[in-house]
Amino acid sequence: PQLYPNPASSLLTLDLAYDTRWMGKTVRIINLQGQTVMTVLVTDKNQRIDINKLPPGLYFLAAKKDDGESMKLKFVKF
């Protein structure tokens, strides 16, 4: 998966076009303390994520599919 733009100020796009099995899965945004600060349901292969309410910093985007495959991406909010 691709996550862009990075760094971002208000909107991220998570490009999952290569694998439609991510549809219907929940993506978690996790801060450096390990706390889930946001959850997003994947409804589009180019999922837009509004990060306006997040304070500036470094975050991880994490998700897991039924088959056990997971993703963990890092992004910076400024």
Side-chain angles (χ1 to χ4, degrees), residues 34-54:
Q35 300 162 310
T36 299
V37 292
M38 232 174 109
T39 56
V40 179
L41 184 66
V42 176
T43 56
D44 190 351
K45 61 187 179 197
N46 282 309
Q47 182 69 44
R48 295 168 69 113
I49 302 170
D50 182 349
I51 58 168
N52 265 317
K53 293 186 176 80
L54 293 178

Side-chain angles (χ1 to χ4, degrees), residues 1-68:
Q2 289 186 307
L3 191 61
Y4 58 88
N6 190 4
S9 61
S10 59
L11 197 66
L12 284 170
T13 299
L14 178 61
D15 182 351
L16 299 166
Y18 76 101
D19 191 347
T20 55
R21 292 174 299 171
W22 286 108
M23 293 291 183
K25 299 292 176 266
T26 299
V27 172
R28 296 181 305 135
I29 295 181
I30 302 162
N31 65 15
L32 283 179
Q33 288 73 42
Q35 300 162 310
T36 299
V37 292
M38 232 174 109
T39 56
V40 179
L41 184 66
V42 176
T43 56
D44 190 351
K45 61 187 179 197
N46 282 309
Q47 182 69 44
R48 295 168 69 113
I49 302 170
D50 182 349
I51 58 168
N52 265 317
K53 293 186 176 80
L54 293 178
L58 180 64
Y59 294 90
F60 297 97
L61 184 141
K64 197 172 208 171
K65 286 193 309 217
D66 298 335
D67 64 7

